Amino acid sequence: EAAGAEDTDEKEVAELLKVDRASLEIGYQLIPLVKDASGAGILDHIAQLRRRFALKEGVVLPPVRIRDNIKLGPKAYRVQLGGQEIADGEIEPALYLAMDPGTAAGKIPGKPAVDPAFGLPAVWVDKGKRSEAEVMGYTVIDPTSVLVTHLSEVLRGALAELLSRDDVKELVENAKSIAPAVVEELVPERLNYGEIQQVLRNLLQEGVSVRNMPAILETLADNAPRTRDVETLTELCRQRLGRALCEQFGDGTGTVHAITLDPAIEARLAAAVGR
């Protein structure tokens, strides 16, 4: 029995040493929003969120641990990465957030607020005012979606930081089933996982999806013999993914609108970068 108690104690201590890569702490009034019988709770939203990130950004988000924190306000929440807070907010669990997209027909009474995800002015309204607000042209969102949208934007902005070496190894192994030759050629002879991680982090930081890993790895394999400079390799990968980037930023007709700088200003910027 003593040995069993000692093993249990060691496991508990080991658990305390673990730091969650991503976590969401909530006040006690938000606890009912975590799990919903209709499948619309925070947990269900996060599961859908992880699928969307995998399909669009090409990265599998780490599990997001949810825990209540009595030190927070009853309606407050905060997002943490590696145990450090990177965002916080507050929602009304019994109300709906009505946002004016700029075309709403008049003002609707409610509790003034700011949308935590994008910082837009909004109003918390009760359920009975939801239909009226929608008729007036407001975008009305339930409190769970407000929180999860904020969480989604925060995690999207932190994707580069979240991408670990183990994640990179898994991405490369997945690509190996599609393009085994290029993976064998690249790792570890030409680049190691750390260097690939830096390139992928650069791309994610710029909002570039890394879903097309075979193309990225092929570009790295083609150019690594000439340079191992991470910034140069990132630029070459960005060029290789140019078609996907154009599609991402094109309008309904496929046109990409651009703003160009005066040549004199462009020359000054280029000279400053080269110093």
Side-chain angles (χ1 to χ4, degrees), residues 55-273:
L55 285 171
K56 189 174 180 183
E57 277 76 21
V59 174
V60 177
L61 285 176
V64 179
R65 179 175 290 192
I66 304 174
R67 58 163 69 91
D68 60 292
N69 186 340
I70 59 172
K71 294 181 181 179
L72 291 177
K75 302 173 184 176
Y77 63 88
R78 65 178 184 176
V79 184
Q80 294 184 308
L81 290 189
Q84 302 299 312
E85 180 181 325
I86 61 168
D88 63 358
E90 188 170 302
I91 59 173
E92 293 289 340
L95 303 178
Y96 287 78
L97 191 68
M99 293 183 293
D100 181 0
T103 56
K107 302 290 184 183
I108 191 165
K111 181 180 178 181
V114 174
D115 167 43
F118 304 105
L120 301 174
V123 180
W124 287 107
V125 299
D126 61 39
K127 192 174 183 178
K129 290 279 185 181
R130 181 179 182 180
S131 296
E132 181 185 342
E134 289 175 337
V135 169
M136 291 174 66
Y138 283 85
T139 301
V140 185
I141 308 172
D142 65 87
T144 300
S145 296
V146 172
L147 189 158
V148 174
T149 300
H150 188 199
L151 174 66
S152 171
E153 290 305 307
V154 169
L155 293 179
R156 182 173 283 108
L159 273 181
E161 184 181 344
L162 281 168
L163 188 74
S164 69
R165 284 233 201 332
D166 288 324
D167 292 333
V168 173
K169 185 176 181 180
E170 186 175 343
L171 289 172
V172 172
E173 288 299 317
N174 289 340
K176 195 172 184 178
S177 62
I178 304 169
V182 72
V183 172
E184 290 169 8
E185 179 185 346
L186 180 65
V187 184
E189 294 299 321
R190 297 186 176 179
L191 291 178
N192 57 43
Y193 288 120
E195 291 167 314
I196 297 173
Q197 179 190 27
Q198 290 178 61
V199 171
L200 296 181
R201 278 183 164 179
N202 283 349
L203 292 171
L204 290 170
Q205 191 70 50
E206 296 164 359
V208 178
S209 170
V210 298
R211 189 179 178 197
N212 193 350
M213 278 297 292
I216 293 171
L217 296 178
E218 189 173 280
T219 304
L220 295 177
D222 288 344
N223 294 281
R226 290 188 292 275
T227 178
R228 295 183 77 150
D229 179 70
V230 172
E231 300 304 324
T232 302
L233 291 172
T234 302
E235 172 62 22
L236 291 165
C237 287
R238 194 189 300 109
Q239 292 175 16
R240 175 68 173 78
L241 300 171
R243 187 176 296 167
L245 288 173
C246 289
E247 185 178 326
Q248 179 182 344
F249 294 106
D251 62 15
T253 64
T255 303
V256 177
H257 299 275
I259 298 175
T260 58
L261 295 173
D262 182 277
I265 296 175
E266 191 172 323
R268 288 178 63 186
L269 290 172
V273 171

Side-chain angles (χ1 to χ4, degrees), residues 19-74:
V19 177
D20 295 317
R21 291 173 62 191
S23 63
L24 172 67
E25 293 190 341
I26 57 176
Y28 71 86
Q29 286 193 22
L30 305 188
I31 294 175
L33 301 181
V34 174
K35 189 67 179 174
D36 190 299
S38 66
I42 295 173
L43 281 174
D44 302 292
H45 277 276
I46 289 177
Q48 295 169 19
L49 194 64
R50 296 184 77 206
R51 285 194 287 271
R52 285 203 301 273
F53 269 84
L55 285 171
K56 189 174 180 183
E57 277 76 21
V59 174
V60 177
L61 285 176
V64 179
R65 179 175 290 192
I66 304 174
R67 58 163 69 91
D68 60 292
N69 186 340
I70 59 172
K71 294 181 181 179
L72 291 177

